Amino acid sequence: MSRRAATLTAASVLVLVLALVGSLMPVPYVTLMPGPTQNTLADNAKGEPLIAIDGRQTYPTEGNLNFTTVTYRGGPGGRIDLLTALRGWLDGDTAVVPEETIFPDDESPEEVDEQNTRQMRDSQEDAEAAALRELGIPVGTRVVVDSVQKGRPADGKLKAGDEITAVNGTAVTKVQQVSDIMNGVRPGETVTLTVRRDGDESRQRIPTTKGPDGGAVVGVVLAGDYKFPFEIDISIGDIGGPSAGLIFSLAIIDKLTPGPLTGGRFVAGTGTITPDGRVGPIGGIEQKMIAARRAGATVFLTPKGNCAAAVEARPDGLRLVRTDTLKDARQALNALTTGKGTVPSCTG
């Protein structure tokens, strides 16, 4: 064998060995890729309205209002190999990020999934509240039991989902009101909670004990909830996270007001939403824009905090509309439809 042939053979073997090692070597990275999009004005996979409203007049809609998602590969339970990570780095549609970006060291994959599910549930409720308030429809609040701590006085007397309507005879509709009343109770004293469960109301006398901060507690975790004047049901399947809040709010507004909000356009977007209508930034903006454009979107509603990254990675044919608030987004879509007014962009 000639020296050149021997060198080529050795190089080929080395490449094969490196490829084999790369395919077997797990690395602590996660790849982020464009995920599916769904039109909130259409039906879900079961043939049911993705957003259904009962108890209030609704109006026909047109066009698309798509929320966008990101899919990922990797994580502590199934790490990607080195070659997959390298391919991701070379692929313009894929982002490769450290594993702890998605899976914090102090949380298990199951806890991350649970958190994402909870965030989606909360974002839906915040979106409903923001939409109704934008339309001037009153939204009430209430206090509910999120969980009961085992071994504490409330264990066996209260359960998750119970609504607390009064403490020691004082009506409450916010968690802070409960905290303010409990600040005046000394550990060991008994409190009377008025509880609504399955439509029935009862009074529970529960002794208190000393909490971690020295105050009186009964051993429950409370959460604020909304009291909507009619039913809104959002059914999107197994998708987590809070980033669809803005699109949910706009879709609800579209269904509750005459005339198509999109003007028949294919609009997509992203952004968290607060109950008072403020839009927040999200992760994976590059992959979400790619997913939107592939689906056919020509307009992309972009949180102000994501504008810089969005401008750098904007796909051809996609117009970026900057959204600071729900009102901004609504006005921008109206301006696009009527040709009157300004349409804020990520470039100024």
Side-chain angles (χ1 to χ4, degrees):
M1 181 182 297
S2 68
R3 178 176 299 179
R4 181 175 179 179
T7 301
L8 288 174
T9 301
S12 299
V13 171
L14 180 60
V15 169
L16 288 173
V17 170
L18 290 175
L20 179 61
V21 171
S23 66
L24 296 176
M25 181 185 297
V27 291
Y29 288 91
V30 174
T31 57
L32 305 180
M33 297 158 290
T37 76
Q38 290 193 41
N39 182 12
T40 54
L41 304 179
D43 293 344
N44 60 21
K46 297 179 180 179
E48 303 166 345
L50 194 145
I51 296 180
I53 299 175
D54 186 30
R56 186 87 172 191
Q57 182 178 0
T58 58
Y59 299 87
T61 61
E62 294 179 16
N64 286 59
L65 267 174
N66 281 43
F67 71 85
T68 51
T69 65
V70 173
T71 60
Y72 70 86
R73 290 181 62 188
R79 283 180 168 170
I80 60 174
D81 56 59
L82 180 58
L83 286 181
T84 300
L86 290 174
R87 284 196 297 267
W89 273 311
L90 296 174
D91 183 358
D93 294 350
T94 302
V96 181
V97 300
E99 190 175 80
E100 60 268 21
T101 304
I102 309 297
F103 300 95
D105 292 337
D106 58 347
E107 296 182 16
S108 67
E110 292 75 21
E111 289 173 328
V112 171
D113 288 343
E114 182 180 344
Q115 182 182 40
N116 286 336
T117 300
R118 184 169 60 251
Q119 287 177 336
M120 174 56 80
R121 180 197 65 203
D122 292 345
S123 76
Q124 291 176 1
E125 294 181 352
D126 289 345
E128 294 169 17
L132 298 195
R133 288 169 176 169
E134 170 67 17
L135 295 176
I137 301 173
V139 176
T141 58
R142 63 177 189 157
V143 179
V144 297
V145 176
D146 187 67
S147 61
V148 180
Q149 299 169 338
K150 286 189 174 295
R152 291 288 192 172
D155 190 12
K157 295 186 176 182
L158 300 179
K159 68 177 185 178
D162 285 347
E163 179 183 356
I164 308 298
T165 61
V167 180
N168 287 342
T170 300
V172 294
T173 58
K174 298 180 180 179
V175 174
Q176 186 59 50
Q177 292 174 323
V178 178
S179 298
D180 291 343
I181 295 172
M182 292 299 294
N183 286 339
V185 176
R186 291 178 296 182
E189 293 181 344
T190 297
V191 296
T192 300
L193 304 180
T194 305
V195 180
R196 182 175 292 132
R197 179 186 298 172
D198 299 328
D200 297 325
E201 200 165 80
S202 65
R203 288 179 174 80
Q204 297 283 346
R205 287 178 51 81
I206 304 177
T208 63
T209 187
K210 184 181 291 187
D213 62 354
V217 299
V218 298
V220 295
V221 177
L222 300 178
D225 201 1
Y226 303 105
K227 296 180 71 172
F228 296 112
F230 48 89
E231 185 176 349
I232 303 174
D233 182 51
I234 302 176
S235 304
I236 60 169
D238 187 21
I239 296 176
S243 65
L246 169 63
I247 299 299
F248 289 151
S249 289
L250 289 170
I252 293 168
I253 289 173
D254 199 1
K255 287 174 174 281
L256 291 175
T257 54
L261 187 60
T262 66
R265 289 177 174 80
F266 194 133
V267 178
T270 188
T272 63
I273 197 77
T274 64
D276 59 355
R278 288 178 286 117
V279 177
I282 51 77
I285 187 70
E286 297 88 349
Q287 286 70 43
K288 290 179 179 179
M289 289 191 302
I290 293 170
R293 188 68 187 108
R294 285 178 179 171
T298 57
V299 175
F300 193 84
L301 302 177
T302 312
K304 180 180 179 181
N306 291 121
C307 269
V311 168
E312 291 292 326
R314 180 184 66 86
D316 291 339
L318 193 64
R319 181 175 182 176
L320 304 183
V321 175
R322 191 187 74 235
T323 53
D324 301 350
T325 66
L326 176 58
K327 185 179 294 293
D328 290 341
R330 188 182 178 194
Q331 291 175 344
L333 291 177
N334 182 66
L336 284 172
T337 299
T338 63
K340 300 177 181 179
T342 59
V343 180
S345 73
C346 282
T347 55

